[in-house]
Amino acid sequence: MKKLIFVACIMFYAATSFGQDMKETDVPSVVLNTFKQQYAKAEKVEWKQKAGMYKVEFKIVKDDHELWLDKTGKVVKHKQEIKADQLPKEVTAAITKDYKGYTIHDPKKTDNAGVVTYKVELKTAGSEMHLTFDKTGKVISKKKED
């Protein structure tokens, strides 16, 4: 019973600590206008607020996007799903050279204040890795899962 209560408390904390869900009408007009001008085709839009930032999750066609804006409407971070063929050739070359036998899954591009990175899951029959590359194909972080 103690474990169940502990797990419930952890789940509640995780859900509430990440950010507060917001209605679109509660988003400042400068933030909302910036978003709507840049992403007019956005669908399934969800807003949250945390630490003075506005996070909006949305889809364009079938691709997920996550955008962080400050209170002036400036885009601070943009994370988006991409297709494997949209990875820079340097990243694809590094994967081909250093990770033979792995297939690329769930690639994402992140632009964090002008610093662009690419995160991919690489899988084989018995292994999975999460790697982050810079635009030159250099590995920035690597996490192996069994």
Side-chain angles (χ1 to χ4, degrees):
M1 183 67 172
K2 287 182 183 180
K3 286 184 182 180
L4 181 59
I5 292 171
F6 177 75
V7 170
C9 288
I10 293 296
M11 291 177 68
F12 175 77
Y13 176 76
T16 58
S17 67
F18 184 74
Q20 183 177 357
D21 288 346
M22 299 180 69
K23 294 179 184 175
E24 188 173 283
T25 55
D26 294 334
V27 177
S29 61
V30 67
V31 174
L32 191 59
N33 290 340
T34 298
F35 171 70
K36 287 189 173 193
Q37 287 172 359
Q38 293 182 15
Y39 301 96
K41 295 183 180 185
E43 300 173 336
K44 298 184 179 180
V45 178
E46 294 180 16
W47 288 92
K48 294 183 180 189
Q49 183 179 17
K50 182 176 180 186
M53 300 288 286
Y54 297 90
K55 176 184 173 189
V56 58
E57 295 176 352
F58 58 98
K59 287 186 177 286
I60 295 180
V61 185
K62 293 181 180 180
D63 294 331
D64 290 330
H65 292 255
E66 180 180 295
L67 196 67
W68 288 84
L69 301 103
D70 67 14
K71 63 183 178 184
T72 68
K74 179 182 175 195
V75 175
V76 177
K77 182 177 178 180
H78 181 200
K79 183 177 182 180
Q80 69 184 86
E81 284 184 344
I82 60 173
K83 295 177 180 34
D85 63 2
Q86 293 175 298
L87 289 167
K89 64 183 178 189
E90 296 85 357
V91 172
T92 305
I95 292 169
T96 302
K97 178 182 173 221
D98 298 330
Y99 302 96
K100 288 180 173 69
Y102 284 86
T103 56
I104 298 170
H105 293 270
D106 198 24
K108 291 182 176 62
K109 175 183 176 182
T110 301
D111 182 339
N112 192 353
V115 177
V116 178
T117 58
Y118 298 88
K119 185 174 182 178
V120 297
E121 292 177 16
L122 297 179
K123 296 181 181 181
T124 63
S127 181
E128 180 177 326
M129 287 190 280
H130 298 262
L131 290 108
T132 303
F133 295 88
D134 69 10
K135 62 184 176 182
T136 68
K138 179 183 174 192
V139 175
I140 297 170
S141 71
K142 179 179 176 181
K143 180 181 175 189
K144 188 171 182 173
E145 297 196 11
D146 295 317

